[in-house]
Amino acid sequence: MNKIIPVLLMALALAACGGGNSPSAPAQSPNPNPGNTADDKARVQVISNRPDLVSAGDVLIEVVLADAAAADELVLLRNNSDVTSVLQATADNPLRLLGVVDGLSVGENTISANIGNSVTVVNHPSGGPVFTGPHIQPWVCQDGAVDEACNQAAEYHWLYKSTNPMQSGLQDYDPENPATDVAMTTTDSGETVPFIVRKEIGYQARDQYTIFTLYKVGDDWTPVQPQPQWNRRLLVTHGGNCRGDHDTSSARTDDYAGTIPGNPLIEQSYITALGLGWSVLSTAQLNLGHNCNLSYQAESLMMAKERFIEQYGELRYTVGTGCSGGAITQNMIANAYPGLYQGLLTTCTYPDVMSTATQFADYHILLKYFGLTADNPVAPTTRDGTVFTASQQNEVYGHLNGIVNASLADSALFAEAVDPASSCGGVTEEERFNKDTNPGGVRCDVLTFMENMIGARERYPAEDPLRDHWSQMEQDLGYGFAGFPLGNEGVQYGLIPLQQGLISPAQFLALNTNIGGLDPSLNVTKGRLKPDYPALPNAYRTGILNTIVNMDTVPIINMTGPDPGAAHDSVHGYWVRWRLEREFGHRDNFVHWGGATALIGDANYMNQSLVAMASWLDAIEADVSETPLAQKIIANKPASVQDQCNGVPGQMCPEELMLVFGTPRTQAGADKYGDQVQCQLKPFSRSDDYGPFASTWGEADWALLEETFATGVCDWTKRPLEWQRTVTWLKYQDDKGDVITGGEQMTPADFPAGWASPAFYKTWEPTWQQP
């Protein structure tokens, strides 16, 4: 008798009696499999990932039988070896079989049914890479790693929530010596269980992942039959800042990781989620303060989700949550790798890395011009001797607290992240770049860290082939450094204050003729900064400059408070909203919660938004119509999930209340969207509006401005220079493993059925393919 027949008969009996685990698994995938024919009695497909992106040697397989009799004939083969015994019938559909097939070789494998189709599975090493290109080097693994890929067997730890209100967070739990103060929790499906959590710690993609699950100690849990308290929802946590470390680290789970400390009186949302029956996943590479490379983050999340599904079961949906860099990661992945998240919970929001870098680069250049240092926070004169009051400097910055805001942004975020001589994990001082003693050393800036995406500086780019774009250091080394996608060519700093009479024509003239630009080592240059190629177009193409064009297929709840004047401007969250409105004519998939608490709005928002997002996604999940996903998101938004201001539903907080300020570029006349990393140019004209006192300029002044802007001034009525749609699901390596700079789109494939319920992908447009 076939090994799966007894299991199938039991499943048929359970189905007839209405038995099985609750909540049920997502319905079987409606995706057709190209290998099937009308005569096939079984359909085989991979559901834990795309078949060509599998890693770590195993995969969750679905086999759907034509009828019960087919079970007696079925033989499932892995590279011609019989693995039928791994299959088990699901409780809610006895003709649907699931099983984890392991023992996959690195490279191509064939999984086939003797009475059905075959599937080619491309397996990648647990340490990666899967699609990101050659590993960045050097890299230092954790203690306990068994090889250079940082592999290490998964470990399991037990935690619990205490009934003692003085014990915040989760405490260590010993199943052999159970604690007496274990709290009880009731999940959102009504199951009441002890609040005991199993924590899995493992390593993939040369870095750590963690998985938390509400767990009944001593009971079995398989991907076919998970424990019933799990609601098949997954929460993914992230971390803030932006760095490029060269070593393993630990995954972050706290709500405002890397940005602000949590409130011990407010429960962390990941703990709230566990108590409701969610599982929680995080990886070290989803901490932007450790790994500021979008492609590495997306790969890490994809691999960890595959691991989760193969160990714990199919998902209904995945929700991201995070602050600052945690919001950046969610926004960028949702746009560049849609489908990895089904919902986003963002706070302390930025849309991406490069929009912010542009603002902070302007800050850096302006700080150098105004002569500000830690010891001289309000310099009365600039480096050319021109006097600007503190109020006038703030006008140029575009922020009420511009001097402090710019200084914090520069010292805490920009300079450290972009300086190649800065420190980074895994790189010793002897290994690290030094312009004088080690110019060929490891560059710890984030641009080098994301070089697979943006590319190295072209020496003679087609856009400017007559000028050598390499520095003397690059010429001596014989290669270009990672490109800088930003530029300030044509930017007329302080134009709006000039037009308003807040700075004088003499100040405007001195500022713009002397501000200069930057070189690859952040040294101020006399000439303006021109963006590097291919970095500029690749920034938009790859999604590190978030065009938002693919983000109508994900619900977003964004939480914000008044601008704190500490490098986290409230306007950054509005950039997401405004770009959605620009690209789609609405932002109906974007809900905005404003509150009185600086930066975050309200300390309770993270927990409240989790529940709100679940109600939204549950409503979408129930809509199995053929309506496109983007429309489902809008049509199924509950009335209870709407904009709110200080707890008042249906109201959007006025921008004045949220202290929404501008940037140096908006003060130069730029549009509000924040993505003008380099403007398109138009000829300089004396007839343009230079304010009520421009008549004080003499011929020599006009001539100096014409010389400064010889290539033109910004035409803010046009899209940014080289703006283009972000291309979804790029890979950065070819079949030989060599890097594809700027990426190449993967071939189309079915959405992995284990990632979400059918409502989220049944009408997926596009399926891994962006026209």
Side-chain angles (χ1 to χ4, degrees):
M1 179 181 252
N2 188 295
K3 300 172 186 175
I4 65 171
I5 286 295
V7 177
L8 179 57
L9 292 174
M10 182 179 296
L12 284 166
L14 282 171
C17 297
N21 286 340
S22 177
S24 62
Q28 70 185 64
S29 165
N31 293 332
N33 198 303
N36 277 99
T37 68
D39 296 330
D40 287 342
K41 299 179 182 179
R43 185 194 67 192
V44 180
Q45 72 170 354
V46 173
I47 64 171
S48 53
N49 204 343
R50 281 179 50 141
D52 57 340
L53 300 180
V54 167
S55 63
D58 56 2
V59 68
L60 184 61
I61 294 294
E62 173 193 74
V63 179
V64 178
L65 301 175
D67 50 46
D72 198 35
E73 302 177 56
L74 175 66
V75 177
L76 185 70
L77 299 174
R78 178 207 61 218
N79 300 328
N80 294 321
S81 296
D82 188 344
V83 290
T84 315
S85 61
V86 305
L87 295 174
Q88 184 178 354
T90 59
D92 56 346
N93 183 358
L95 298 181
R96 182 174 184 254
L97 315 177
L98 297 178
V100 176
V101 175
D102 59 13
L104 300 176
S105 303
V106 172
E108 289 192 356
N109 299 262
T110 301
I111 298 178
S112 59
N114 64 321
I115 56 172
N117 63 303
S118 64
V119 177
T120 299
V121 175
V122 182
N123 175 53
H124 301 80
S126 177
V130 178
F131 61 77
T132 54
H135 278 144
I136 194 165
Q137 298 293 350
W139 193 267
V140 177
C141 294
Q142 77 282 4
D143 293 339
V146 299
D147 55 28
E148 293 182 354
C150 307
N151 288 309
Q152 183 177 344
E155 299 177 354
Y156 300 91
H157 305 271
W158 295 96
L159 305 167
Y160 78 100
K161 183 178 178 180
S162 173
T163 56
N164 183 349
M166 302 302 294
Q167 297 277 0
S168 62
L170 297 177
Q171 314 303 315
D172 290 335
Y173 180 81
D174 182 2
E176 301 300 321
N177 185 24
T180 59
D181 60 336
V182 177
M184 301 296 289
T185 186
T186 300
T187 68
D188 52 19
S189 62
E191 180 122 356
T192 300
V193 294
F195 205 134
I196 297 173
V197 173
R198 193 181 79 166
K199 178 181 181 181
E200 175 183 342
I201 302 175
Y203 293 85
Q204 290 180 321
R206 302 192 305 170
D207 227 327
Q208 188 188 91
Y209 72 86
T210 58
I211 295 171
F212 299 82
T213 48
L214 193 64
Y215 212 100
K216 294 181 179 178
V217 179
D219 288 3
D220 290 336
W221 186 319
T222 73
V224 185
Q225 292 186 338
Q227 292 185 4
Q229 70 275 7
W230 179 42
N231 59 24
R232 295 187 181 269
R233 300 183 180 124
L234 182 65
L235 182 69
V236 177
T237 60
H238 305 79
N241 215 309
C242 176
R243 293 291 187 272
D245 289 333
H246 289 241
D247 59 358
T248 57
S249 184
S250 57
R252 303 296 299 268
T253 54
D254 40 321
D255 286 330
Y256 311 112
T259 306
I260 55 176
N263 184 341
L265 301 179
I266 304 294
E267 188 167 76
Q268 294 288 321
S269 64
Y270 86 96
I271 298 177
T272 299
L274 287 166
L276 292 172
W278 296 59
S279 288
V280 177
L281 179 149
S282 188
T283 78
Q285 293 196 18
L286 290 174
N287 174 14
L288 201 74
H290 168 63
N291 166 41
C292 201
N293 182 305
L294 164 60
S295 67
Y296 298 161
Q297 291 183 308
E299 181 178 81
S300 173
L301 176 55
M302 181 194 71
M303 294 175 71
K305 283 187 67 170
E306 181 192 331
R307 165 73 184 184
F308 181 94
I309 293 165
E310 290 161 1
Q311 298 299 311
Y312 298 91
E314 302 164 273
L315 295 168
R316 293 168 57 196
Y317 49 75
T318 298
V319 174
T321 185
C323 162
S324 186
I328 289 176
T329 298
Q330 292 180 71
N331 285 322
M332 291 196 305
I333 290 180
N335 187 53
Y337 292 89
L340 284 170
Y341 303 106
Q342 279 66 58
L344 310 182
L345 303 175
T346 57
T347 190
C348 341
T349 302
Y350 302 94
D352 56 65
V353 172
M354 284 303 157
S355 300
T356 311
T358 304
Q359 177 186 356
F360 291 177
D362 284 338
Y363 280 171
H364 184 83
I365 299 171
L366 286 165
L367 287 166
K368 296 294 186 182
Y369 173 76
F370 287 130
L372 300 181
T373 65
D375 299 326
N376 186 20
V378 184
T381 60
T382 67
R383 65 169 178 256
D384 59 25
T386 305
V387 176
F388 282 80
T389 67
S391 176
Q392 289 176 318
Q393 291 180 39
N394 288 339
E395 288 294 337
V396 174
Y397 286 122
H399 196 288
L400 181 66
N401 196 28
I403 295 172
V404 173
N405 199 51
S407 300
L408 286 172
D410 188 60
S411 61
L413 299 172
F414 178 77
E416 185 74 13
V418 183
D419 183 357
S422 62
S423 61
C424 59
V427 178
T428 66
E429 185 175 354
E430 292 73 24
E431 293 172 316
R432 195 165 68 238
F433 164 86
N434 183 291
K435 64 182 179 64
D436 298 318
T437 62
N438 192 14
V442 178
R443 298 171 68 87
C444 281
D445 61 287
V446 296
L447 296 171
T448 300
F449 198 76
M450 59 178 73
E451 190 170 342
N452 65 325
M453 305 185 73
I454 59 177
R457 284 156 47 92
E458 292 181 354
R459 187 168 188 178
Y460 298 102
E463 293 75 14
D464 188 13
L466 301 180
R467 183 172 67 89
D468 190 339
H469 286 244
W470 281 8
S471 65
Q472 187 61 53
M473 188 182 301
E474 290 168 298
Q475 295 176 38
D476 293 343
L477 292 170
Y479 58 86
F481 299 139
F484 207 20
L486 317 179
N488 70 342
E489 188 176 21
V491 176
Q492 300 180 91
Y493 292 102
L495 178 61
I496 301 301
L498 173 68
Q499 293 171 342
Q500 296 171 340
L502 300 175
I503 66 172
S504 71
Q507 290 172 314
F508 177 85
L509 180 68
L511 171 62
N512 282 283
T513 56
N514 293 306
I515 189 169
L518 296 172
D519 70 9
S521 296
L522 292 190
N523 300 306
V524 175
T525 59
K526 182 179 180 180
R528 291 294 184 100
L529 173 64
K530 295 186 177 183
D532 292 318
Y533 283 80
L536 177 59
N538 281 346
Y540 294 103
R541 168 185 169 80
T542 62
I544 57 173
L545 192 297
N546 194 347
T547 62
I548 307 287
V549 296
N550 306 304
M551 288 186 66
D552 61 332
T553 55
V554 60
I556 306 165
I557 299 178
N558 180 66
M559 298 148 275
T560 190
D563 191 316
H568 282 82
D569 300 1
S570 58
V571 73
H572 298 144
Y574 285 80
W575 285 351
V576 178
R577 169 194 165 188
W578 292 334
R579 291 182 202 176
L580 284 167
E581 292 171 337
R582 179 181 67 184
E583 301 305 328
F584 303 107
H586 66 83
R587 51 95 180 178
D588 293 342
N589 65 315
F590 180 94
V591 171
H592 192 111
W593 288 4
T597 304
L599 187 61
I600 62 173
D602 189 298
N604 294 297
Y605 274 175
M606 294 299 270
N607 284 313
Q608 293 171 356
S609 65
L610 176 75
V611 176
M613 180 59 74
S615 69
W616 194 352
L617 294 175
D618 286 352
I620 298 168
E621 181 185 41
D623 184 351
V624 294
S625 69
E626 298 298 324
T627 305
L629 178 58
Q631 296 177 28
K632 285 184 182 181
I633 290 170
I634 299 169
N636 293 285
K637 182 166 60 176
S640 60
V641 181
Q642 53 184 301
D643 293 343
Q644 60 173 276
C645 182
N646 290 319
V648 179
Q651 293 187 8
M652 180 84 174
C653 284
E655 294 176 20
E656 296 79 11
L657 185 62
M658 294 294 98
L659 302 179
V660 178
F661 299 116
T663 69
R665 301 246 163 157
T666 58
Q667 291 300 87
D671 56 45
K672 65 182 181 180
Y673 302 106
D675 58 353
Q676 290 273 5
V677 299
Q678 172 57 59
C679 62
Q680 295 194 54
L681 300 176
K682 64 179 182 179
F684 175 86
S685 174
R686 297 188 183 190
S687 63
D688 286 346
D689 181 8
Y690 288 102
F693 306 111
S695 59
T696 62
W697 280 331
E699 180 60 32
D701 298 325
W702 284 111
L704 188 55
L705 283 170
E706 288 170 338
E707 179 184 352
T708 299
F709 297 111
T711 57
V713 296
C714 286
D715 185 350
W716 302 115
T717 67
K718 295 180 178 179
R719 292 268 191 165
L721 182 66
E722 299 289 355
W723 187 98
Q724 57 186 276
R725 296 176 65 88
T726 301
V727 180
T728 60
W729 285 91
L730 292 174
K731 62 179 181 178
Y732 296 89
Q733 63 191 54
D734 60 20
D735 293 339
K736 298 179 181 178
D738 295 330
V739 67
I740 302 175
T741 300
E744 175 184 283
Q745 193 167 58
M746 301 179 193
T747 56
D750 289 335
F751 188 100
W755 284 11
S757 295
F760 295 101
Y761 63 87
K762 183 178 178 183
T763 55
W764 185 258
E765 293 182 356
T767 303
W768 310 91
Q769 188 80 7
Q770 176 64 54

PDB file of all heavy atoms in Angstrom, residues 456-463 469-470 532-534:
ATOM      1  N   ALA A 456      30.144  51.216  -9.927  1.00  0.00           N
ATOM      2  CA  ALA A 456      31.320  52.056  -9.713  1.00  0.00           C
ATOM      3  C   ALA A 456      31.267  53.284 -10.617  1.00  0.00           C
ATOM      4  O   ALA A 456      30.598  53.297 -11.646  1.00  0.00           O
ATOM      5  CB  ALA A 456      32.591  51.251  -9.988  1.00  0.00           C
ATOM      6  N   ARG A 457      31.978  54.313 -10.228  1.00  0.00           N
ATOM      7  CA  ARG A 457      32.036  55.559 -10.999  1.00  0.00           C
ATOM      8  C   ARG A 457      32.679  55.315 -12.368  1.00  0.00           C
ATOM      9  O   ARG A 457      33.773  54.756 -12.446  1.00  0.00           O
ATOM     10  CB  ARG A 457      32.872  56.593 -10.244  1.00  0.00           C
ATOM     11  CG  ARG A 457      32.181  57.232  -9.085  1.00  0.00           C
ATOM     12  CD  ARG A 457      33.137  57.780  -8.047  1.00  0.00           C
ATOM     13  NE  ARG A 457      34.239  58.575  -8.570  1.00  0.00           N
ATOM     14  CZ  ARG A 457      34.204  59.911  -8.721  1.00  0.00           C
ATOM     15  NH1 ARG A 457      33.108  60.578  -8.399  1.00  0.00           N
ATOM     16  NH2 ARG A 457      35.261  60.566  -9.153  1.00  0.00           N
ATOM     17  N   GLU A 458      31.963  55.706 -13.415  1.00  0.00           N
ATOM     18  CA  GLU A 458      32.541  55.605 -14.752  1.00  0.00           C
ATOM     19  C   GLU A 458      33.548  56.733 -14.954  1.00  0.00           C
ATOM     20  O   GLU A 458      33.299  57.882 -14.589  1.00  0.00           O
ATOM     21  CB  GLU A 458      31.444  55.677 -15.809  1.00  0.00           C
ATOM     22  CG  GLU A 458      30.512  54.474 -15.811  1.00  0.00           C
ATOM     23  CD  GLU A 458      29.450  54.570 -16.899  1.00  0.00           C
ATOM     24  OE1 GLU A 458      29.371  55.617 -17.566  1.00  0.00           O
ATOM     25  OE2 GLU A 458      28.688  53.599 -17.069  1.00  0.00           O
ATOM     26  N   ARG A 459      34.675  56.395 -15.575  1.00  0.00           N
ATOM     27  CA  ARG A 459      35.719  57.403 -15.749  1.00  0.00           C
ATOM     28  C   ARG A 459      35.334  58.417 -16.827  1.00  0.00           C
ATOM     29  O   ARG A 459      35.529  59.622 -16.648  1.00  0.00           O
ATOM     30  CB  ARG A 459      37.042  56.724 -16.107  1.00  0.00           C
ATOM     31  CG  ARG A 459      38.209  57.692 -16.140  1.00  0.00           C
ATOM     32  CD  ARG A 459      39.537  56.980 -16.201  1.00  0.00           C
ATOM     33  NE  ARG A 459      40.648  57.917 -16.044  1.00  0.00           N
ATOM     34  CZ  ARG A 459      41.927  57.582 -16.009  1.00  0.00           C
ATOM     35  NH1 ARG A 459      42.263  56.288 -16.126  1.00  0.00           N
ATOM     36  NH2 ARG A 459      42.854  58.493 -15.840  1.00  0.00           N
ATOM     37  N   TYR A 460      34.773  57.915 -17.916  1.00  0.00           N
ATOM     38  CA  TYR A 460      34.343  58.799 -18.999  1.00  0.00           C
ATOM     39  C   TYR A 460      32.900  58.424 -19.377  1.00  0.00           C
ATOM     40  O   TYR A 460      32.669  57.772 -20.388  1.00  0.00           O
ATOM     41  CB  TYR A 460      35.260  58.664 -20.214  1.00  0.00           C
ATOM     42  CG  TYR A 460      36.701  59.052 -19.946  1.00  0.00           C
ATOM     43  CD1 TYR A 460      37.677  58.074 -19.749  1.00  0.00           C
ATOM     44  CD2 TYR A 460      37.074  60.382 -19.880  1.00  0.00           C
ATOM     45  CE1 TYR A 460      38.997  58.416 -19.497  1.00  0.00           C
ATOM     46  CE2 TYR A 460      38.402  60.744 -19.629  1.00  0.00           C
ATOM     47  CZ  TYR A 460      39.346  59.756 -19.438  1.00  0.00           C
ATOM     48  OH  TYR A 460      40.655  60.107 -19.195  1.00  0.00           O
ATOM     49  N   PRO A 461      31.922  58.829 -18.559  1.00  0.00           N
ATOM     50  CA  PRO A 461      30.539  58.440 -18.846  1.00  0.00           C
ATOM     51  C   PRO A 461      30.055  59.065 -20.148  1.00  0.00           C
ATOM     52  O   PRO A 461      30.498  60.138 -20.557  1.00  0.00           O
ATOM     53  CB  PRO A 461      29.766  58.987 -17.650  1.00  0.00           C
ATOM     54  CG  PRO A 461      30.604  60.113 -17.130  1.00  0.00           C
ATOM     55  CD  PRO A 461      32.022  59.695 -17.363  1.00  0.00           C
ATOM     56  N   ALA A 462      29.127  58.357 -20.792  1.00  0.00           N
ATOM     57  CA  ALA A 462      28.599  58.839 -22.064  1.00  0.00           C
ATOM     58  C   ALA A 462      27.963  60.209 -21.932  1.00  0.00           C
ATOM     59  O   ALA A 462      27.932  60.995 -22.886  1.00  0.00           O
ATOM     60  CB  ALA A 462      27.581  57.829 -22.606  1.00  0.00           C
ATOM     61  N   GLU A 463      27.467  60.529 -20.736  1.00  0.00           N
ATOM     62  CA  GLU A 463      26.810  61.809 -20.524  1.00  0.00           C
ATOM     63  C   GLU A 463      27.809  62.959 -20.469  1.00  0.00           C
ATOM     64  O   GLU A 463      27.439  64.123 -20.636  1.00  0.00           O
ATOM     65  CB  GLU A 463      25.999  61.771 -19.222  1.00  0.00           C
ATOM     66  CG  GLU A 463      24.800  60.837 -19.254  1.00  0.00           C
ATOM     67  CD  GLU A 463      25.192  59.368 -19.156  1.00  0.00           C
ATOM     68  OE1 GLU A 463      26.359  59.084 -18.790  1.00  0.00           O
ATOM     69  OE2 GLU A 463      24.354  58.496 -19.452  1.00  0.00           O
ATOM     70  N   HIS A 469      36.354  61.709 -14.861  1.00  0.00           N
ATOM     71  CA  HIS A 469      35.582  61.809 -13.627  1.00  0.00           C
ATOM     72  C   HIS A 469      36.272  61.138 -12.445  1.00  0.00           C
ATOM     73  O   HIS A 469      35.751  61.197 -11.326  1.00  0.00           O
ATOM     74  CB  HIS A 469      34.198  61.183 -13.827  1.00  0.00           C
ATOM     75  CG  HIS A 469      33.275  62.018 -14.658  1.00  0.00           C
ATOM     76  ND1 HIS A 469      32.119  62.572 -14.171  1.00  0.00           N
ATOM     77  CD2 HIS A 469      33.349  62.413 -15.950  1.00  0.00           C
ATOM     78  CE1 HIS A 469      31.506  63.264 -15.121  1.00  0.00           C
ATOM     79  NE2 HIS A 469      32.230  63.168 -16.214  1.00  0.00           N
ATOM     80  N   TRP A 470      37.390  60.496 -12.652  1.00  0.00           N
ATOM     81  CA  TRP A 470      38.082  59.838 -11.555  1.00  0.00           C
ATOM     82  C   TRP A 470      38.980  60.822 -10.820  1.00  0.00           C
ATOM     83  O   TRP A 470      39.604  61.705 -11.417  1.00  0.00           O
ATOM     84  CB  TRP A 470      38.932  58.680 -12.072  1.00  0.00           C
ATOM     85  CG  TRP A 470      38.155  57.439 -12.360  1.00  0.00           C
ATOM     86  CD1 TRP A 470      36.810  57.275 -12.352  1.00  0.00           C
ATOM     87  CD2 TRP A 470      38.710  56.167 -12.701  1.00  0.00           C
ATOM     88  NE1 TRP A 470      36.464  55.993 -12.664  1.00  0.00           N
ATOM     89  CE2 TRP A 470      37.621  55.276 -12.892  1.00  0.00           C
ATOM     90  CE3 TRP A 470      40.002  55.683 -12.878  1.00  0.00           C
ATOM     91  CZ2 TRP A 470      37.800  53.942 -13.231  1.00  0.00           C
ATOM     92  CZ3 TRP A 470      40.189  54.354 -13.217  1.00  0.00           C
ATOM     93  CH2 TRP A 470      39.091  53.492 -13.393  1.00  0.00           C
ATOM     94  N   ASP A 532      27.152  60.706 -10.254  1.00  0.00           N
ATOM     95  CA  ASP A 532      27.928  59.717 -11.003  1.00  0.00           C
ATOM     96  C   ASP A 532      27.015  58.822 -11.828  1.00  0.00           C
ATOM     97  O   ASP A 532      25.855  58.596 -11.491  1.00  0.00           O
ATOM     98  CB  ASP A 532      28.753  58.857 -10.037  1.00  0.00           C
ATOM     99  CG  ASP A 532      29.864  59.633  -9.361  1.00  0.00           C
ATOM    100  OD1 ASP A 532      30.521  60.436 -10.053  1.00  0.00           O
ATOM    101  OD2 ASP A 532      30.069  59.448  -8.144  1.00  0.00           O
ATOM    102  N   TYR A 533      27.577  58.303 -12.889  1.00  0.00           N
ATOM    103  CA  TYR A 533      26.909  57.301 -13.715  1.00  0.00           C
ATOM    104  C   TYR A 533      27.683  55.994 -13.600  1.00  0.00           C
ATOM    105  O   TYR A 533      28.906  56.020 -13.485  1.00  0.00           O
ATOM    106  CB  TYR A 533      26.847  57.760 -15.179  1.00  0.00           C
ATOM    107  CG  TYR A 533      25.786  58.804 -15.422  1.00  0.00           C
ATOM    108  CD1 TYR A 533      26.006  60.133 -15.108  1.00  0.00           C
ATOM    109  CD2 TYR A 533      24.540  58.452 -15.928  1.00  0.00           C
ATOM    110  CE1 TYR A 533      25.023  61.099 -15.307  1.00  0.00           C
ATOM    111  CE2 TYR A 533      23.553  59.397 -16.138  1.00  0.00           C
ATOM    112  CZ  TYR A 533      23.799  60.721 -15.832  1.00  0.00           C
ATOM    113  OH  TYR A 533      22.809  61.657 -16.028  1.00  0.00           O
ATOM    114  N   PRO A 534      26.971  54.861 -13.558  1.00  0.00           N
ATOM    115  CA  PRO A 534      25.523  54.665 -13.721  1.00  0.00           C
ATOM    116  C   PRO A 534      24.726  54.808 -12.436  1.00  0.00           C
ATOM    117  O   PRO A 534      23.560  54.416 -12.388  1.00  0.00           O
ATOM    118  CB  PRO A 534      25.452  53.239 -14.240  1.00  0.00           C
ATOM    119  CG  PRO A 534      26.568  52.544 -13.526  1.00  0.00           C
ATOM    120  CD  PRO A 534      27.691  53.557 -13.456  1.00  0.00           C
TER     121      PRO A 534
END
